[in-house]
Amino acid sequence: MKNVGCVVVLVVMGLVLLFGGWLVSLNNRLVALQEGTSVAWAQVETVLQRRYDLIPNLVNTVKGYAEHEKGLFEEVARLRSQWAEARSVGEKVEAASQLEGRIGRLLLVAEQYPQLKASDSFRDLQHELAGTENRIAVERQRYNEAIRAYNVAVRQFPGSLVAGFRGFAPSDAYFESAATAKDAPQVDFSKP
């Protein structure tokens, strides 16, 4: 009888250890996914910083040809400062989206000036910006995928139990396209 009691105690202890190990494993997975979102966001910030650094050169190049677009240049500068001052992920996402729309307008303005389009420095900057925008798109997609994987793990059972107990909350900081992205750009070739 004594042996049966010892076996039961050992089995119960083994089950408790297995359950505890499973909870620790689940917690560690949530931590890893949460850190994955931070790493993905850091990559987005890296390529957004690259864009941020290219903008003054692009604006100065276009400014020499299109002085009457002063309002656009000021708005790009304001949004660039707004992105630099943003503290939260949401604020940075919003500022980056607005800046993206204004850069598109800036490039449309540049299209109206053949001598500007023929400028080597403008072409080089345009290629750099196009490459940067492609990198931003890739990193945004990766960031959104990391947020999705984290949110799924936090919301699905049994992860939701550990998430609730440990304070892991779903994130809604997805990158979404700017509202202006739905509008087709207007190009007017009638201007010189």
PDB file of all heavy atoms in Angstrom, residues 49 61 96 125:
ATOM      1  N   GLN A  49      14.014  55.956 -41.155  1.00  0.00           N
ATOM      2  CA  GLN A  49      15.103  56.911 -40.918  1.00  0.00           C
ATOM      3  C   GLN A  49      15.864  57.180 -42.216  1.00  0.00           C
ATOM      4  O   GLN A  49      16.261  58.306 -42.491  1.00  0.00           O
ATOM      5  CB  GLN A  49      16.062  56.382 -39.844  1.00  0.00           C
ATOM      6  CG  GLN A  49      17.196  57.318 -39.510  1.00  0.00           C
ATOM      7  CD  GLN A  49      16.733  58.593 -38.841  1.00  0.00           C
ATOM      8  OE1 GLN A  49      15.914  58.546 -37.935  1.00  0.00           O
ATOM      9  NE2 GLN A  49      17.239  59.734 -39.283  1.00  0.00           N
ATOM     10  N   THR A  61      16.606  69.698 -54.048  1.00  0.00           N
ATOM     11  CA  THR A  61      16.784  69.535 -55.497  1.00  0.00           C
ATOM     12  C   THR A  61      15.549  70.024 -56.245  1.00  0.00           C
ATOM     13  O   THR A  61      15.655  70.754 -57.228  1.00  0.00           O
ATOM     14  CB  THR A  61      17.060  68.055 -55.838  1.00  0.00           C
ATOM     15  OG1 THR A  61      18.224  67.636 -55.133  1.00  0.00           O
ATOM     16  CG2 THR A  61      17.276  67.866 -57.320  1.00  0.00           C
ATOM     17  N   ALA A  96       4.517  58.747 -40.504  1.00  0.00           N
ATOM     18  CA  ALA A  96       5.135  58.131 -41.686  1.00  0.00           C
ATOM     19  C   ALA A  96       4.127  58.021 -42.817  1.00  0.00           C
ATOM     20  O   ALA A  96       4.471  58.255 -43.983  1.00  0.00           O
ATOM     21  CB  ALA A  96       5.689  56.755 -41.333  1.00  0.00           C
ATOM     22  N   LEU A 125      18.566  60.659 -56.584  1.00  0.00           N
ATOM     23  CA  LEU A 125      17.735  60.736 -55.381  1.00  0.00           C
ATOM     24  C   LEU A 125      16.424  59.977 -55.567  1.00  0.00           C
ATOM     25  O   LEU A 125      15.943  59.309 -54.652  1.00  0.00           O
ATOM     26  CB  LEU A 125      17.429  62.193 -55.036  1.00  0.00           C
ATOM     27  CG  LEU A 125      18.564  62.973 -54.386  1.00  0.00           C
ATOM     28  CD1 LEU A 125      18.237  64.457 -54.345  1.00  0.00           C
ATOM     29  CD2 LEU A 125      18.816  62.444 -52.984  1.00  0.00           C
TER      30      LEU A 125
END
